[in-house]
Amino acid sequence: MLRTHVHQSNSVVNLLPLGTPFITGHSSSSSSFSTTICRQVLVKKRRCGSIQYKPSNIKANVNSTSVGKFTTVKGVINVQPTITGALASVTVGLIGTVQDCVYDLFGKPFLLELVSVDLDSSGKEKETIKAYASYDGVDNESKLQKYKCEFKVPYDFGDIGALLIENEHHKETYIKNIVLDNGNVIFSCESWVHSKHENTDKRIFFTDKSYLPSETPVGLKSLREKDLESLRGNGKGERKTFERIYDYDTYNDIGDPETDANLSRPVLGGEQHPYPRRCRTGREMTSKEAWSESRTGGIFYVPRDEDFSEIKEISFGATTLYSVLNGIIPMLESALTDSNRGFSLFRDIESLYNDGIGIDLPNNGLLSVLTRLLRAITNTAESILQFETPRIKDRDPFSWYRDEEFCRQTLAGLNPYSIQLVTEWPLMSKLDPEVYGPPESSITKEIVEQEIEGFMTLEEALEQKKLFLLDYHDLLLPYVNKVREIEGTTLYGSRTLMFLTSTGTLRPLAIELTRPPSDGKPQWKHVYTPCWDATGAWLWKLAKAHVLAHDSGYHQLVSHWLRTHGATEPYIIATNRHLSKMHPIQRLLCPHLRYTMQINSLARLALINAGGTIDTSFSLRKYAMTLSSDAYAQHWRFDHEALPADLISRGMAVEDESAPHGLKLTIEDYPFANDGLVLWDAIKQWATTYINHYYSQPSLIESDKELQAWWTEIRTVGHGDKKDQPWWPQLKTQQDLVKIVTTIMWVSSGHHSAVNFGQYDFAGYFPNRPTIARIKMPNEDPTVEEWEAFINKPEDVLLDSFPTQIQATRVMSVLAVLSSHSPDEEYIGTNMEPAWAAEPTIKAAFEEFSCRLKELEAIIDSRNHDPNLRNRSGAGLVPYQLLKPFSEPGLTGKGVPYSISI
């Protein structure tokens, strides 16, 4: 068993705190901190489509009691009880608690105002109809708190189009919905409503009827703009936790120079380091660096409705991630006291799953939180933390060792976004040869033809599209010398060449590792090939470990973080700043944009920050996020984020109208592409029907001021460092909008799922995908002692190349959480948004969309049982099911949520 004696105080921070930290309210900095941390821990995903929609004409005079010239309209506010509210109600001495209880029992805790869609006879907005709501108990079935109200509405009031609400409580309240007239008028709120004591502005809610700006009823026009203005803010001051303001800032908070000068990091975003923008928080700058935002206080603002709502029960995903980052990892680091200690034997790695690590686990509920991910056995003396056996190791313990699996995972593994067709020969670097050395690759025609001898010539292989490449040469080479200055790691630029066999599988031909000139030494590069002698075979295995570390870093920093999490945050900000809640495109995108800003803020807190998991445990170390910026500057294009365009850009497909999905794949058995294109087409068809329903002609697109402002701001501000690029799509026609919207929907669902939910299956057993290579190749300028050590015990050199015990277990803990589905996951095509159900055409289109996703489930199952598809079916293989739309909770290796929610 891999363990260390631990001496740890029982005063470990309680990760699921009770008492004061749960209290909702913002009267002091300490309460603000406690509330925000609690929200990061105690979370429950909102289901906007959980209320059954009842069609109506949204009139005030239906099924109501008539009194004189007025109609009596009854209403009910349904409030979701929160953990913070429940605890506050039984805690003594908390500001506002007594007053709120009095309000609920005897007072009028909510003031509501109905807004007509019409103007009065003088052309002015009609006066609102006001009513107070009083507490009416808890519904036994839904467990929602109910507040009833009654309006006296004039006969000539017209249709109800909006509602204003003022929360008289001293704390915010989570309102699920407001139902009027026995369900004939429903406001699907799903939102936190601030206390009037924090902000005197009334909250605005619109009905489920969607309107383009030009079609907005006259009585709602000013309210529509006012609501958007409230979300934009003025770009000044530090944001408060109860606010709902969306604005932009650079990534100027991933460094922490106030804690340690070594934790200083450059600002990402701007001319020097281009990057997408994040949500502005407005915190003070550090005293050490005027350009770095302070991280003191530990809270990261996100607009209130982007914060997970802590309702009903503790949400599995974010709670567990927070617990791992702030509980398990510190305990592992305490137990594994030698930060540089690696694994002496492969059975030490096996013990992580079979025996576990002895830790001091505080009795604070953490154990129960983690049991879905980590097998933890508790006895009277200590707690033994065990990791679940990853599926790849469980099915075939030696698959990581084999060349065919190494190649297969480029098509059906964790990072299917890097492999590309070789179209030019020789392979050449685009870097400055004066700085980085000769640009020609050492993978020569002779080496290639030696490896494919008897099959074809190099020229024939190129012509027949048989050669494929993983190319991390130019992206990594500028970092090699800088990374090598850091103790305990090394780096190369790399190229990996593969050959497509007649069976449709890939076979590795060569790996080239390159070190640029340094300290008077010339460029060093070497080509490794699969060998039949012992020394060459071990060098080949070590070279593969280096390439896998490169691919792991690129996957996490580019394919995963940058292209999904980072690139999507500007879409969320612009959508809330410019598309009204009643805009049809806002309502189409809403489920795809939920929860992402909250999980991104948690990533900035402890994953991508200086000293975080990626910074300490991946090959690039402190340069990781800078490399992510380089990838954005050199390679990211919005138009290539669409799956078909991505495949074409990498030479993995060509347009062919006669082929399925209009594309002919270069490798026919490419599981990610085959499944992804079915999902892409389903999303595109759903978006097409939806958009054509609201935009019957191109002029409606061009005249939609909100839509045009939204797309302009995404290009010029959210991705402003790329604003002058010619490849940005125009927004003039329905087809333009379909392309843009489908891309955003795909990135947040299919793309993210393909690179996220298989992380533990493929990388939980880290020899299959090490995140770092700690020592150089044995044949790179070796000393006599280094070479003899390799010749005498090559296995030790491989083990020394792998991550340390702390690095491995830290990454494994995080990947276990990131790969898991919450019990309340919102899978694509499952929940019908109320606004969609309000329109029969949209409702029917969504039902068709759902059916197509169920068909995709069956298609993937059929493909995984087809023995002719050798890249997804075979002895010991993990079947490719990452794009199966639906899943059970936990570590399943399948399931496509609407949004980037973990």
Side-chain angles (χ1 to χ4, degrees):
M1 179 173 71
L2 179 65
R3 50 175 292 188
T4 305
H5 290 292
V6 182
H7 301 281
Q8 185 170 335
S9 168
N10 292 327
S11 62
V12 176
V13 175
N14 190 326
L15 296 171
L16 300 176
L18 297 176
T20 304
F22 280 80
I23 301 309
T24 303
H26 316 289
S27 57
S28 69
S29 60
S30 60
S31 65
S32 175
F33 170 79
S34 301
T35 301
T36 304
I37 291 298
C38 177
R39 286 170 189 150
Q40 292 174 333
V41 178
L42 299 171
V43 298
K44 172 70 178 176
K45 294 179 185 176
R46 306 186 289 280
R47 294 182 182 272
C48 290
S50 60
I51 302 300
Q52 183 178 0
Y53 176 79
K54 297 183 179 181
S56 75
N57 294 325
I58 317 183
K59 289 184 179 294
N61 58 353
V62 180
N63 298 329
S64 303
T65 303
S66 175
V67 181
K69 295 182 179 180
F70 294 88
T71 295
T72 300
V73 177
K74 296 182 178 181
V76 175
I77 305 174
N78 290 304
V79 171
Q80 178 71 60
T82 66
I83 294 172
T84 61
L87 289 177
S89 67
V90 298
T91 305
V92 180
L94 297 172
I95 297 175
T97 301
V98 175
Q99 295 98 315
D100 289 344
C101 290
V102 171
Y103 267 124
D104 279 347
L105 293 176
F106 307 108
K108 300 173 179 178
F110 296 104
L111 172 63
L112 289 78
E113 302 180 37
L114 302 182
V115 181
S116 173
V117 299
D118 299 327
L119 301 178
D120 62 20
S121 57
S122 64
K124 296 181 180 179
E125 294 176 358
K126 291 185 177 182
E127 288 191 15
T128 60
I129 308 300
K130 299 180 181 180
Y132 281 95
S134 57
Y135 184 64
D136 193 39
V138 177
D139 182 81
N140 291 330
E141 183 177 348
S142 68
K143 307 303 180 185
L144 297 175
Q145 296 172 352
K146 304 175 77 65
Y147 294 79
K148 63 181 180 181
C149 56
E150 192 172 285
F151 300 89
K152 287 189 176 181
V153 184
Y155 276 129
D156 61 353
F157 188 72
D159 293 350
I160 299 170
L163 180 147
L164 311 180
I165 186 167
E166 182 177 81
N167 178 12
E168 308 288 324
H169 290 111
H170 283 76
K171 56 181 174 57
E172 62 185 353
T173 302
Y174 187 80
I175 297 182
K176 281 194 72 68
N177 58 77
I178 300 171
V179 181
L180 304 180
D181 198 27
N182 295 320
N184 284 301
V185 181
I186 298 179
F187 294 86
S188 304
C189 305
E190 298 286 358
S191 179
W192 294 96
V193 175
H194 58 262
S195 165
K196 76 171 186 178
H197 303 283
E198 294 174 320
N199 181 357
T200 57
D201 292 340
K202 298 180 177 69
R203 275 297 305 277
I204 302 168
F205 292 106
F206 299 102
T207 65
D208 294 335
K209 177 69 174 176
S210 297
Y211 297 99
L212 298 179
S214 61
E215 299 168 346
T216 308
V218 289
L220 303 180
K221 285 185 176 180
S222 63
L223 209 57
R224 180 171 185 150
E225 182 54 38
K226 182 179 179 181
D227 190 45
L228 283 172
E229 288 176 356
S230 72
L231 294 170
R232 294 181 192 130
N234 60 9
K236 298 179 181 179
E238 183 173 356
R239 298 273 63 85
K240 300 179 178 62
T241 54
F242 66 84
E243 292 180 327
R244 300 166 57 244
I245 294 176
Y246 295 79
D247 203 354
Y248 301 92
D249 208 343
T250 58
Y251 280 75
N252 60 358
D253 65 342
I254 57 175
D256 192 7
E258 289 178 313
T259 299
D260 187 335
N262 291 323
L263 297 179
S264 175
R265 297 293 183 270
V267 173
L268 303 186
E271 185 176 350
Q272 188 173 2
H273 298 292
Y275 217 60
R277 298 303 192 258
R278 65 168 176 90
C279 184
R280 180 184 178 276
T281 60
R283 290 168 294 178
E284 293 184 356
M285 296 298 160
T286 66
S287 58
K288 302 292 184 181
E289 295 176 351
W291 57 87
S292 294
E293 195 170 77
S294 176
R295 293 172 61 88
T296 55
I299 57 174
F300 284 70
Y301 165 83
V302 293
R304 190 63 185 98
D305 283 343
E306 303 297 333
D307 197 349
F308 298 121
S309 52
E310 17 132 342
I311 51 181
K312 274 195 175 181
E313 61 183 274
I314 298 173
S315 174
F316 170 71
T319 301
T320 311
L321 180 56
Y322 186 86
S323 299
V324 165
L325 293 174
N326 294 277
I328 289 295
I329 287 175
M331 283 187 284
L332 285 170
E333 291 174 345
S334 177
L336 305 171
T337 53
D338 185 353
S339 61
N340 296 316
R341 184 178 179 183
F343 294 87
S344 301
L345 301 166
F346 272 91
R347 67 168 172 261
D348 289 340
I349 301 175
E350 301 286 329
S351 72
L352 295 172
Y353 315 101
N354 300 328
D355 302 319
I357 305 171
I359 60 173
D360 280 347
L361 192 66
N363 185 22
N364 62 358
L366 178 61
L367 181 62
S368 62
V369 171
L370 298 176
T371 51
R372 290 180 181 270
L373 298 178
L374 309 173
R375 291 184 292 152
I377 305 171
T378 306
N379 56 37
T380 56
E382 63 180 354
S383 294
I384 308 300
L385 182 66
Q386 287 179 277
F387 290 88
E388 289 288 351
T389 303
R391 200 170 278 109
I392 190 169
K393 183 181 183 300
D394 186 52
R395 283 179 170 257
D396 183 354
F398 303 105
S399 62
W400 68 276
Y401 205 70
R402 299 198 310 268
D403 288 349
E404 61 269 25
E405 181 64 12
F406 170 73
C407 289
R408 186 187 79 90
Q409 288 183 28
T410 65
L411 301 172
L414 192 54
N415 183 30
Y417 273 99
S418 284
I419 186 170
Q420 58 184 287
L421 177 70
V422 176
T423 57
E424 296 180 352
W425 197 269
L427 303 175
M428 298 283 288
S429 170
K430 297 179 181 178
L431 298 174
D432 184 356
E434 294 294 324
V435 177
Y436 298 103
E440 297 86 4
S441 170
S442 292
I443 303 177
T444 62
K445 174 181 178 178
E446 290 72 25
I447 291 174
V448 172
E449 292 187 340
Q450 178 181 325
E451 293 299 314
I452 61 173
E453 184 178 5
F455 287 97
M456 60 188 66
T457 65
L458 171 65
E459 289 76 14
E460 290 171 334
L462 289 169
E463 183 180 355
Q464 296 179 33
K465 298 183 178 180
K466 295 290 187 179
L467 296 180
F468 295 86
L469 188 68
L470 287 183
D471 189 355
Y472 298 128
H473 183 276
D474 284 11
L475 191 62
L476 295 181
L477 204 62
Y479 289 92
V480 169
N481 290 332
K482 292 187 288 188
V483 167
R484 287 183 169 214
E485 294 175 359
I486 303 172
E487 183 181 358
T489 188
T490 193
L491 191 66
Y492 295 97
S494 69
R495 296 185 179 101
T496 304
L497 189 66
M498 291 165 280
F499 177 76
L500 181 63
T501 69
S502 59
T503 62
T505 58
L506 290 169
R507 169 188 158 192
L509 299 182
I511 292 173
E512 179 185 39
L513 300 179
T514 304
R515 180 202 69 198
S518 174
D519 298 328
K521 297 180 181 178
Q523 181 194 70
W524 179 91
K525 63 176 66 171
H526 191 86
V527 176
Y528 303 88
T529 59
C531 286
W532 300 101
D533 66 280
T535 300
W538 272 104
L539 288 173
W540 171 250
K541 293 178 180 67
L542 287 163
K544 284 199 301 181
H546 281 270
V547 169
L548 287 167
H550 302 165
D551 192 63
S552 293
Y554 185 88
H555 159 260
Q556 204 63 264
L557 292 165
V558 182
S559 300
H560 185 194
W561 167 259
L562 169 64
R563 293 180 64 179
T564 64
H565 290 262
T568 296
E569 186 149 340
Y571 311 149
I572 302 169
I573 299 171
T575 298
N576 284 277
R577 285 169 58 86
H578 291 290
L579 297 183
S580 166
K581 299 299 180 184
M582 65 171 72
H583 197 291
I585 299 304
Q586 200 276 351
R587 285 172 162 164
L588 175 63
L589 292 177
C590 177
H592 291 276
L593 304 181
R594 291 186 192 122
Y595 320 125
T596 302
M597 291 180 72
Q598 173 69 11
I599 209 69
N600 284 4
S601 73
L602 191 54
R604 299 202 326 271
L605 183 68
L607 283 175
I608 65 171
N609 62 300
T613 297
I614 291 177
D615 194 87
T616 58
S617 304
F618 283 73
S619 288
L620 273 293
R621 298 294 296 271
K622 70 178 183 178
Y623 301 105
M625 290 301 289
T626 311
L627 177 123
S628 184
S629 169
D630 286 350
Y632 178 72
Q634 296 172 29
H635 303 301
W636 188 89
R637 296 176 48 156
F638 179 87
D639 60 331
H640 284 181
E641 294 306 291
L643 177 60
D646 169 77
L647 295 171
I648 292 169
S649 71
R650 292 187 283 121
M652 302 303 294
V654 293
E655 292 186 82
D656 184 348
E657 293 183 0
S658 65
H661 318 292
L663 291 182
K664 179 176 176 55
L665 294 178
T666 311
I667 299 177
E668 292 183 7
D669 183 14
Y670 186 179
F672 160 70
N674 284 306
D675 297 352
L677 286 169
V678 179
L679 179 57
W680 168 271
D681 279 358
I683 294 172
K684 183 179 179 182
Q685 182 56 54
W686 156 234
T688 299
T689 304
Y690 187 100
I691 287 168
N692 287 339
H693 175 75
Y694 288 101
Y695 296 94
S696 58
Q697 51 191 0
S699 61
L700 291 174
I701 299 282
E702 294 193 80
S703 64
D704 188 332
K705 294 181 180 179
E706 288 182 6
L707 190 69
Q708 294 297 332
W710 167 78
W711 183 234
T712 297
E713 192 166 276
I714 286 174
R715 292 182 290 111
T716 63
V717 183
H719 285 278
D721 297 332
K722 296 268 192 175
K723 65 180 183 296
D724 297 323
Q725 295 297 326
W727 40 253
W728 283 105
Q730 294 183 320
L731 182 51
K732 294 183 177 181
T733 67
Q734 296 98 320
Q735 291 75 24
D736 295 338
L737 183 56
V738 167
K739 182 185 299 183
I740 291 166
V741 166
T742 303
T743 299
I744 293 173
M745 295 163 73
W746 160 257
V747 167
S748 62
S749 57
H751 180 150
H752 179 258
S753 296
V755 299
N756 183 73
F757 291 106
Q759 291 190 86
Y760 195 75
D761 276 348
F762 287 101
Y765 184 62
F766 63 85
N768 184 61
R769 286 187 68 80
T771 59
I772 193 169
R774 294 189 295 133
I775 60 174
K776 63 183 178 65
M777 291 293 294
N779 64 322
E780 183 202 334
D781 302 333
T783 64
V784 173
E785 293 78 11
E786 288 172 339
W787 187 252
E788 287 183 353
F790 166 65
I791 293 298
N792 292 331
K793 202 72 180 294
E795 181 181 311
D796 285 356
V797 178
L798 180 60
L799 287 166
D800 287 344
S801 294
F802 286 157
T804 65
Q805 292 182 12
I806 288 179
Q807 288 171 333
T809 53
R810 182 173 189 166
V811 171
M812 289 163 64
S813 301
V814 171
L815 295 187
V817 184
L818 297 182
S819 303
S820 296
H821 290 292
S822 171
D824 60 351
E825 191 77 88
E826 296 180 15
Y827 297 102
I828 189 169
T830 52
N831 293 332
M832 174 92 70
E833 297 290 306
W836 302 346
E839 295 287 344
T841 301
I842 301 303
K843 182 176 184 293
F846 178 78
E847 290 171 347
E848 181 181 349
F849 176 52
S850 297
C851 289
R852 294 189 70 179
L853 297 180
K854 292 173 184 175
E855 292 171 1
L856 176 56
E857 289 264 316
I859 290 171
I860 292 175
D861 286 338
S862 175
R863 288 171 174 173
N864 284 338
H865 287 91
D866 186 344
N868 295 316
L869 301 178
R870 292 177 173 85
N871 290 321
R872 63 192 308 156
S873 175
L877 296 186
V878 176
Y880 191 78
Q881 53 184 11
L882 288 171
L883 292 176
K884 288 189 73 171
F886 315 117
S887 174
E888 305 78 37
L891 282 164
T892 65
K894 59 183 178 181
V896 180
Y898 271 115
S899 66
I900 304 164
S901 56
I902 187 63

